[in-house]
Amino acid sequence: MTTAIDTERWARAWLSRVVEPGQRVVAELIDAVGPVELVHKIRAGDVPSALRRATTVRSLDDRVEVDLALAAEHDVRLLIPGDPDWPDLALHPCVVATAARKPDLAPPIALWVRGRSDLIPLFERAVAVIGARAATPYGEHCATDLAFGLAERGWTVVSGGAYGIDRAAHRGAVAAGGPTAAFLASGLDAPYPRGNTALFRQIAEAGALISEWPVGTTPQRLRFLARNRLIAAVSAGTVVVEAAARSGTSNTANQADKLGRVVMAVPGATTSAMSVGTHHLIREKDARLVTRVDEVLEDIGRFGDDLAPPRRAPARKRDLLDPLARQVLEGLPARGSATPEEIAAQAAVLPGDVLRALPVLELEDLVERRADGWSLRRGAR
Amino acid sequence: MTTAIDTERWARAWLSRVVEPGQRVVAELIDAVGPVELVHKIRAGDVPSALRRATTVRSLDDRVEVDLALAAEHDVRLLIPGDPDWPDLALHPCVVATAARKPDLAPPIALWVRGRSDLIPLFERAVAVIGARAATPYGEHCATDLAFGLAERGWTVVSGGAYGIDRAAHRGAVAAGGPTAAFLASGLDAPYPRGNTALFRQIAEAGALISEWPVGTTPQRLRFLARNRLIAAVSAGTVVVEAAARSGTSNTANQADKLGRVVMAVPGATTSAMSVGTHHLIREKDARLVTRVDEVLEDIGRFGDDLAPPRRAPARKRDLLDPLARQVLEGLPARGSATPEEIAAQAAVLPGDVLRALPVLELEDLVERRADGWSLRRGAR
């Protein structure tokens, strides 16, 4: 007795094992045909060749029932888009970046979660604190201190659950009694690294462990890179505390920048190899230098009132839009927000057209996504 | 048997004792009536009231003969504008800033010098390395290291001869066998602080000790501030290695910025009070973060080829000039440089008009000062 929703849930669970996350081509296929039809296409080999090659072997297996049962054993739940707890707004930068045809930043197909299920409030005010595994005592001190201060002020500290800076950040948040979330590149039955098992238990109690991969998945280099985009996406800003030259941390900072998120870096002694990466971010990548919590909050525009002036879009942008996008734009209310369905009704177009046009309009700074729907940006009124 | 030149030398020696340096009003009076006539005016009380009040008592004395004799005893020479060794080009930012009516940045009336007399080549490639007196071992290490590397590559290290960072910078340059120059706020008969006496001897051998004040002058807080402008002016860029919050070092950095010179700062641990000032400069004042010599040279545009793209001035700037300035602009050659006299002849105006118009044109980015005269900037051709 499989309902439509159950079918989609089953399909996304299947895809989360068969397809590596983050790929723009997969996001576009899901947008075009939906997850259920995509499963059929992958099984039939009816997908672009790179995706076909990557999925041929994996698609022979059907482990969804096993995965779900094993997940339940480990208190791990499957969240999919449309679920009441799906953090739609927090993941929205992935939708925008993918609409802008940026590669490898697609929104997750599904999330496996252990701990708190209310991810929407968890990521409403979130800052990432990340950095090197081979951190120095100085770096760990900075990470703990920043995370403690952020948690004290009600911010969720997001990190990657690794040794070094990540661990120090999670610990600082836990010490302050604040929530913290770890995005992992392994299945949640055996969170990696094993040496942080006690910490993972604390994170699951205070916040959430989250993975795009089903139970039984081992971490791999490319999975860490894909995972990094989610840390950057759900956080208003990403603070890099220590990083060696050309490190994985720089990759997260780079993704945060591509996702339109603020990148910050903590300076250190010029004699420390673990500060070479943060100095590089400040000097060459326009990362903001931060030394304390106040500066972090100032840089993400949340220190007292929002200090960042509202961006304005020149009126002539409307003239460059295609007719459908212009029509959808007309469907937005002059003040307040509207849901895609309301906009479709106002603009007299199909809901699917609205969903396709909104990211384009957002890229042009004409509309913005809010908690309760979509609204015109000031410059577009 | 006093010649015209001797009279001017005498007048500037007198002014260097009676008038505190850096004042725009004094620079304007010297431009208008010359130093000899200014001495008469000060003695007669015929100057603006603030200047009159400041000079009434001092102007009763005439110590020029004594000052010159005592200077000679200490191997200190008097340099004045027009002398072959006067570092005209190095001090030019003071002329431009004063023409722009910025206060307290006027060029020196005279310089008292011990050590090398050839100040023009000394400041042809100069970088300032400055910072806190109460430096940490880390800061002193950074200063010595940077200064050593700069000196090795033929750059003169300029600083203020103080304890802490300044001393470490001079020492690094001396250790590399390179030239270094110290601008002091005291008379050169008794360079301050006395604890650096051995270092001052080395600086005078490897480069020069320079002061705007005659022998017998004691340092005062305002003199340090006035002195700072010369450190900033003669250096293509100023590197701040360590500074406490709201320190004198920030004043030098501020002056370097006003003088159109590059400001750089070395980061440190966020836990160090001595790095609060440098982090502030990077975060709030757009100072460039530097960690090594290559980065310093890159930032002053002298790393390999000049990496900084030439600035361009929009053609319409010409239309905003007054008629005389436009006429002077016409007198500059299409390629290469010309002296003010050559420009006056070409433009058919008086040499004095050319001297008045050139700083205005420079402020508009239309002309630039070179070693062999003045030339049109690319955008002005």
Side-chain angles (χ1 to χ4, degrees):
Chain A
M1 210 181 75
T2 308
T3 69
I5 289 295
D6 286 344
T7 314
E8 174 158 352
R9 185 172 298 277
W10 179 93
R12 286 184 180 269
W14 189 89
L15 289 168
S16 84
R17 175 169 293 283
V18 173
V19 172
E20 291 298 326
Q23 302 179 65
R24 179 161 60 85
V25 61
V26 174
E28 286 169 351
L29 283 166
I30 291 178
D31 279 355
V33 304
V36 178
E37 178 60 22
L38 180 55
V39 172
H40 295 314
K41 280 171 147 321
I42 288 174
R43 282 179 163 166
D46 179 22
V47 287
S49 61
L51 183 58
R52 192 176 62 237
R53 279 195 299 276
T55 53
T56 304
V57 174
R58 290 186 186 173
S59 66
L60 297 177
D61 245 9
D62 176 2
R63 294 181 34 106
V64 172
E65 305 292 321
V66 180
D67 283 349
L68 286 168
L70 201 58
E73 264 177 47
H74 287 91
D75 292 322
V76 174
R77 292 178 315 288
L78 177 67
L79 264 190
I80 67 166
D83 284 346
D85 287 324
W86 182 258
D88 215 17
L89 196 58
L91 294 167
H92 190 61
C94 293
V95 176
V96 176
T98 302
R101 307 191 61 78
K102 294 180 189 169
D104 304 327
L105 295 171
I109 296 166
L111 292 175
W112 300 88
V113 183
R114 196 167 104 201
R116 281 172 58 168
S117 58
D118 56 339
L119 298 191
I120 292 172
L122 191 64
F123 294 131
E124 214 161 71
R125 289 154 56 89
V127 171
V129 177
I130 60 166
R133 279 178 310 239
T136 69
Y138 163 74
E140 293 185 359
H141 165 82
C142 291
T144 304
D145 212 48
L146 274 179
F148 189 97
L150 286 164
E152 255 191 337
R153 298 185 198 201
W155 287 78
T156 299
V157 174
V158 179
S159 196
Y163 292 133
I165 298 300
D166 288 13
R167 175 158 73 178
H170 290 300
R171 277 187 171 166
V174 168
T180 182
F183 283 89
L184 303 182
S186 60
L188 297 183
D189 54 326
Y192 178 89
R194 302 307 293 263
N196 279 348
T197 300
L199 176 66
F200 291 136
R201 202 173 309 120
Q202 293 178 307
I203 295 172
E205 277 163 22
L209 296 175
I210 305 169
S211 174
E212 292 183 88
W213 294 269
V215 289
T217 310
T218 52
Q220 296 174 1
R221 205 185 73 85
L222 288 176
R223 287 180 178 148
F224 286 111
L225 296 180
R227 176 278 309 263
N228 290 346
R229 83 190 192 291
L230 297 190
I231 294 176
V234 304
S235 306
T238 293
V239 183
V240 180
V241 177
E242 281 192 322
R246 280 179 294 282
S247 65
T249 305
S250 304
N251 163 267
T252 312
N254 192 18
Q255 290 187 328
D257 188 49
K258 283 187 190 155
L259 290 163
R261 298 303 205 178
V262 180
V263 179
M264 294 156 279
V266 175
T270 60
T271 45
S272 166
M274 282 300 128
S275 290
V276 170
T278 59
H279 294 155
H280 177 79
L281 285 171
I282 296 165
R283 184 176 162 77
E284 308 292 345
K285 303 289 181 188
D286 286 330
R288 294 282 298 160
L289 180 153
V290 292
T291 65
R292 51 181 209 268
V293 173
D294 281 357
E295 293 174 348
V296 172
L297 297 184
E298 186 184 318
D299 285 347
I300 57 178
R302 300 289 279 273
F303 183 62
D305 290 325
D306 190 326
L307 297 172
R311 284 179 295 171
R312 287 157 184 281
R316 62 182 171 72
K317 274 192 186 164
R318 282 173 189 258
D319 306 334
L320 302 172
L321 296 172
D322 73 50
L324 178 68
R326 216 150 50 209
Q327 202 172 339
V328 169
L329 190 64
E330 296 298 323
L332 274 101
R335 307 214 156 265
S337 304
T339 65
E341 293 70 27
E342 291 166 348
I343 296 167
Q346 276 298 322
V349 298
L350 294 172
D353 292 337
V354 174
L355 291 174
R356 263 189 295 281
L358 284 171
V360 175
L361 294 170
E362 184 170 23
L363 280 173
E364 295 294 332
D365 282 337
L366 291 166
V367 304
E368 63 186 337
R369 182 79 188 264
R370 297 198 181 159
D372 57 348
W374 293 81
S375 66
L376 288 175
R377 293 195 75 108
R378 187 178 296 203
R381 273 173 204 148
Chain B
M1 211 181 72
T2 307
T3 69
I5 290 295
D6 285 342
T7 313
E8 173 159 351
R9 185 172 298 276
W10 180 91
R12 287 185 179 268
W14 189 89
L15 289 167
S16 85
R17 175 169 291 284
V18 172
V19 172
E20 289 298 326
Q23 303 180 65
R24 180 162 60 86
V25 59
V26 173
E28 287 169 350
L29 283 166
I30 290 178
D31 278 354
V33 304
V36 178
E37 178 61 23
L38 179 56
V39 172
H40 295 315
K41 280 172 147 318
I42 289 175
R43 282 180 163 164
D46 178 24
V47 288
S49 62
L51 183 57
R52 192 175 63 238
R53 280 194 299 277
T55 53
T56 303
V57 174
R58 289 186 186 175
S59 66
L60 299 176
D61 246 9
D62 176 0
R63 295 182 31 108
V64 172
E65 305 292 320
V66 179
D67 283 349
L68 286 169
L70 200 58
E73 264 177 46
H74 288 90
D75 292 323
V76 174
R77 292 178 315 288
L78 177 67
L79 263 191
I80 66 167
D83 284 348
D85 287 325
W86 182 258
D88 215 18
L89 195 58
L91 294 167
H92 190 61
C94 293
V95 177
V96 176
T98 303
R101 307 190 62 79
K102 294 180 190 168
D104 304 326
L105 294 170
I109 297 166
L111 293 174
W112 300 88
V113 183
R114 196 166 104 200
R116 282 172 57 168
S117 57
D118 57 337
L119 298 191
I120 293 174
L122 190 64
F123 294 133
E124 214 160 71
R125 290 153 57 88
V127 171
V129 177
I130 61 167
R133 279 178 307 241
T136 69
Y138 164 72
E140 294 186 359
H141 165 81
C142 291
T144 304
D145 213 46
L146 275 180
F148 189 96
L150 286 164
E152 255 191 336
R153 298 185 199 202
W155 287 78
T156 299
V157 174
V158 178
S159 197
Y163 291 134
I165 298 300
D166 288 15
R167 176 158 73 178
H170 290 302
R171 277 187 171 165
V174 168
T180 182
F183 282 89
L184 302 182
S186 60
L188 297 185
D189 54 326
Y192 177 89
R194 302 307 292 263
N196 278 348
T197 300
L199 176 65
F200 291 137
R201 201 173 309 120
Q202 292 178 309
I203 295 172
E205 275 163 23
L209 296 175
I210 305 170
S211 174
E212 292 183 271
W213 294 269
V215 289
T217 311
T218 53
Q220 296 174 2
R221 204 185 76 84
L222 289 177
R223 287 181 178 147
F224 285 111
L225 297 180
R227 177 279 308 264
N228 289 347
R229 84 191 192 289
L230 297 190
I231 293 175
V234 303
S235 307
T238 294
V239 183
V240 180
V241 177
E242 281 192 322
R246 280 180 293 281
S247 65
T249 305
S250 304
N251 162 266
T252 312
N254 191 18
Q255 291 188 327
D257 188 49
K258 283 187 189 156
L259 290 164
R261 299 303 206 178
V262 180
V263 179
M264 294 157 277
V266 175
T270 60
T271 46
S272 167
M274 283 298 130
S275 289
V276 171
T278 59
H279 293 155
H280 177 79
L281 286 171
I282 296 165
R283 187 177 158 78
E284 308 292 344
K285 303 290 181 185
D286 286 329
R288 294 282 297 161
L289 181 152
V290 291
T291 64
R292 52 181 208 270
V293 173
D294 282 356
E295 293 174 348
V296 172
L297 297 185
E298 186 183 318
D299 286 348
I300 57 177
R302 300 288 279 271
F303 184 61
D305 290 323
D306 190 326
L307 296 172
R311 285 179 294 173
R312 287 159 185 281
R316 61 180 171 74
K317 274 194 186 161
R318 283 173 187 258
D319 307 334
L320 302 172
L321 296 172
D322 73 48
L324 178 68
R326 216 151 50 207
Q327 202 172 340
V328 169
L329 191 63
E330 296 298 324
L332 274 101
R335 308 215 155 265
S337 305
T339 65
E341 292 71 27
E342 290 166 348
I343 296 167
Q346 277 297 322
V349 298
L350 294 173
D353 293 335
V354 174
L355 292 175
R356 265 189 294 282
L358 284 171
V360 175
L361 294 170
E362 185 170 21
L363 281 173
E364 295 294 334
D365 281 339
L366 290 166
V367 304
E368 63 186 338
R369 183 81 189 262
R370 296 200 182 159
D372 56 348
W374 293 80
S375 66
L376 289 175
R377 292 195 76 110
R378 188 178 296 202
R381 275 176 201 147

